């Protein structure tokens, strides 16, 4: 049997401890599957005295992750601290400089520095693996870099933030408003310390940008992702979308077009009976479309100790077996600069607005839509208060630009109360 593969784990939170437990629990299994022992030499965390529900007494301890990264008794630096800058980035660069391979769950760091880190690693003959950074336990990175390597990828799409999916499905099932479910998610510990990372679409946008880089052979371009969170989605939107046969999801879509790379993370309506429409709770789902394979759907837990640690260990096993794949599936020097493109492909849209109870109000709305080249597929008006009535419109295929122009013009008609809501309907 070959010499052991020695790990140094930086960050002993939920995922770090989960990784330790897998190494301890499955030592014999890992050795059989890789042909060598997988061991932990040392760990790094700030508070050595904290109770972490795992026996760490056999491992070296470093308070400074940079010191851990440089230790001679580790072969793989496992970065599970998080954060796009600071200690995580410094320690990762130190590990590469010291000739270590890197396994990380840090989507923010890779979204902002992935190309530079990949180039640094390749110059040293090292690899960076990040299965745990995208969609938790779902092996989507390996699906793109290995299983679908013979395909030209046409589209990557999915629900990539379990917290947002939990909030939206909980609103629907319990009939609760957004603010109440948001607070419930916060108390359950589902939200990041900065909740905007979740509900603002930033966390999911990081993940989408990494998958897009692999799928389309481009440099990571998180700054080009069109981001819109779920904060404006009301319980009325959810109920009325359901009436029309749809569910609302925070959906990421990336596709290469003749104009460039489209990347958007925004609320969309999807058919209620589609795989995405049936996705409940904190589960993630990624849909990959290739020219040879067609469409495949990957579904599974998007977070949590076990699923994310499982993804970390899949990368460790890959390294232990001697598998050397470039960070984004091809050498960093061959990754093209992504030309950002706005989503212009026509699609149906959902429009919700409150109209004053005046004769001709609906006609004025229809006139504005018609002048922007938007035709109405379906329309529904609900029971109204004394002065206004909610109206729901589903359009035929139209561009987002036309919808945005219409939404900006509608208040000037004098018949719209408040701000209209427009949400794209995605074909899946």
């Amino acid at each position: 049997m070959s010499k052991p593969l020695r790990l140094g784990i930086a960050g002993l939170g939920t995922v770090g401890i989960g990784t330790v437990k897998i190494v301890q629990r499955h030592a014999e299994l890992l050795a059989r599957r890789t042909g060598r022992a997988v061991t932990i030499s040392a760990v790094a965390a700030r508070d050595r005295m904290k109770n972490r529900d795992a026996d760490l007494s056999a491992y070296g301890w470093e308070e400074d992750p940079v010191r851990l990264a440089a230790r001679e008794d580790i072969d793989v630096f496992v970065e599970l601290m998080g954060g796009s800058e600071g200690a995580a980035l410094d320690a990762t660069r130190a590990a590469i400089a010291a000739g270590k391979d890197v396994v990380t769950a840090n989507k923010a760091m890779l979204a902002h520095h992935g190309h530079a880190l990949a180039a640094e690693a390749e110059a040293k003959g090292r690899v960076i693996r990040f299965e745990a950074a995208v969609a938790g336990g779902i092996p989507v990175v390996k699906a793109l870099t290995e299983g679908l390597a013979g395909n030209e990828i046409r589209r990557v799409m999915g629900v990539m933030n379990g917290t947002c999916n939990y909030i939206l499905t909980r609103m629907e099932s319990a009939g609760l408003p957004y603010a109440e479910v948001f607070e419930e998610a916060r108390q359950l510990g589902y939200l990041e310390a900065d909740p905007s990372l979740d509900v603002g679409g930033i966390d999911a946008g990081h993940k989408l940008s990494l998958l897009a880089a692999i799928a389309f052979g481009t440099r990571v371009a998180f700054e080009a992702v069109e981001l819109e969170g779920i904060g404006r989605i009301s319980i009325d939107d959810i109920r009325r979308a359901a009436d029309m046969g749809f569910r609302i999801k925070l959906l990421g879509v990336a596709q290469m077009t003749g104009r460039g790379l489209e990347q958007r993370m925004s609320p969309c309506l999807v058919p209620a009976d589609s795989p995405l429409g049936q996705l409940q709770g904190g589960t993630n789902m990624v849909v990959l479309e290739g020219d040879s394979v067609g469409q495949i759907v990957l579904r599974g837990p998007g977070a949590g100790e076990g699923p994310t640690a499982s993804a970390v260990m899949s990368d460790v096993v890959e390294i232990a077996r001697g598998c050397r794949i470039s960070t984004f599936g091809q050498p960093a020097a061959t990754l093209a600069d992504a030309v950002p493109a706005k989503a212009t492909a026509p699609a149906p849209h959902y429009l919700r607005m409150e109209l004053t109870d005046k004769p001709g109000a609906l006609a004025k709305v229809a006139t504005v839509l018609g002048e922007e080249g938007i035709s109405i597929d379906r329309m529904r008006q609900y029971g109204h208060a004394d002065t206004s009535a909610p109206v729901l419109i589903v359009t035929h295929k139209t561009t987002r630009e036309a919808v945005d122009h219409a939404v900006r013009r509608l208040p000037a008609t004098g018949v719209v109360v408040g701000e209209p809501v427009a949400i794209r309907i995605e074909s899946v």
Side-chain angles (χ1 to χ4, degrees):
M1 185 175 287
S2 302
K3 67 179 183 178
L5 184 74
R6 303 165 298 174
L7 311 181
I9 300 175
L12 295 175
T14 299
V15 179
I17 290 299
T19 302
V20 170
K21 289 178 180 178
I22 291 177
V23 174
Q24 293 176 343
R25 184 171 67 246
H26 292 314
E28 184 179 337
L29 178 66
L30 292 168
R32 289 202 311 269
R33 289 179 173 172
T34 64
R36 62 196 297 192
V38 176
T39 64
I40 299 171
S41 295
V43 297
R46 287 191 293 267
D47 183 1
R48 187 166 187 167
M49 304 307 295
K50 182 178 179 180
N51 180 12
R52 292 184 168 86
D53 190 31
D55 183 3
L56 306 174
S57 60
Y59 313 138
W61 188 281
E62 300 285 356
E63 292 184 359
D64 182 357
V66 174
R67 288 178 60 87
L68 174 69
R71 284 179 66 125
E72 294 184 357
D73 60 348
I74 74 166
D75 306 303
V76 179
F77 179 66
V78 182
E79 187 281 302
L80 304 175
M81 296 176 289
S84 62
E85 311 290 337
L89 181 60
D90 293 343
T92 299
R93 285 199 156 127
I96 294 168
K100 320 292 186 186
D101 293 323
V102 174
V103 172
T104 180
N106 193 334
K107 62 260 182 189
M109 179 178 72
L110 293 175
H112 291 281
H113 305 286
H115 185 266
L117 290 172
E120 291 171 26
E122 289 172 21
K124 284 284 189 175
R126 300 293 94 196
V127 298
I128 300 173
R129 305 308 302 147
F130 60 93
E131 189 67 71
V134 182
I138 302 175
V140 62
V141 173
K142 285 180 176 58
L144 283 172
T145 56
E146 298 177 42
L148 301 182
N151 284 257
E152 178 181 275
I153 302 301
R154 300 287 175 80
R155 183 166 66 159
V156 175
M157 176 170 58
V159 171
M160 302 176 198
N161 184 278
T163 299
C164 287
N165 202 53
Y166 167 83
I167 289 174
L168 292 172
T169 56
R170 174 71 172 153
M171 287 172 68
E172 179 180 19
S173 63
L176 296 173
Y178 172 82
E180 190 169 331
V181 178
F182 175 92
E183 180 60 24
E184 181 181 284
R186 188 188 66 78
Q187 292 182 6
L188 289 170
Y190 292 172
L191 290 164
E192 298 274 3
D194 177 1
S196 67
L197 293 174
D198 285 316
V199 298
I202 298 169
D203 167 86
H206 287 151
K207 298 170 185 177
L208 182 68
S209 70
L210 299 179
L211 294 183
I214 301 171
F216 304 111
T218 58
R219 295 189 180 200
V220 183
F222 168 69
E223 69 284 353
V225 179
E226 298 177 56
L227 291 175
E228 180 184 348
I230 63 171
R232 293 183 62 211
I233 303 299
S234 71
I235 187 63
D236 286 338
D237 289 321
I238 288 173
R239 287 170 175 158
R240 289 163 187 169
D243 286 348
M244 307 292 275
F246 297 104
R247 286 200 172 100
I248 300 176
K249 301 292 179 184
L250 180 67
L251 192 65
V253 180
Q255 56 191 352
M256 186 64 73
T257 71
R259 302 173 310 280
L261 178 61
E262 292 182 8
Q263 301 179 92
R264 48 189 162 83
M265 182 63 64
S266 61
C268 291
L269 270 65
V270 298
D273 59 357
S274 68
L276 283 167
Q278 295 178 45
L279 194 67
Q280 297 293 310
T283 308
N284 282 194
M285 181 176 286
V286 182
V287 179
L288 306 174
E289 297 176 358
D291 64 335
S292 296
V293 75
Q295 184 181 94
I296 65 170
V297 178
L298 303 172
R299 176 185 182 276
E305 176 183 307
T308 311
S310 169
V312 170
M313 288 307 301
S314 73
D315 286 336
V316 170
V317 166
E318 181 180 84
I319 292 170
R321 288 171 170 166
C323 185
R324 319 293 290 177
I325 297 176
S326 299
T327 305
F328 296 104
Q330 63 187 66
T334 69
L335 296 172
D337 287 322
V339 177
K342 296 290 185 183
T344 58
H349 284 73
Y350 159 100
L351 300 176
R352 175 180 58 82
M353 63 197 76
E354 192 86 9
L355 298 188
T356 56
D357 188 14
K358 295 179 180 177
L362 195 55
K364 290 185 178 181
V365 169
T367 296
V368 170
L369 296 180
E371 288 173 352
E372 296 295 342
I374 300 170
S375 64
I376 296 172
D377 178 28
R378 286 179 283 166
M379 183 184 68
R380 189 168 295 177
Q381 183 169 341
Y382 292 83
H384 56 83
D386 292 338
T387 59
S388 64
V391 172
L392 172 66
I393 293 171
V394 173
T395 75
H396 287 289
K397 285 187 176 181
T398 186
T399 65
R400 184 69 196 202
E401 183 180 24
V403 170
D404 288 343
H405 283 168
V407 167
R408 284 194 294 269
R409 289 181 57 193
L410 285 171
T413 62
V415 299
V416 176
V417 179
E419 187 177 356
V421 171
I423 305 175
R424 181 184 176 96
I425 300 174
E426 195 67 47
S427 61
V428 296

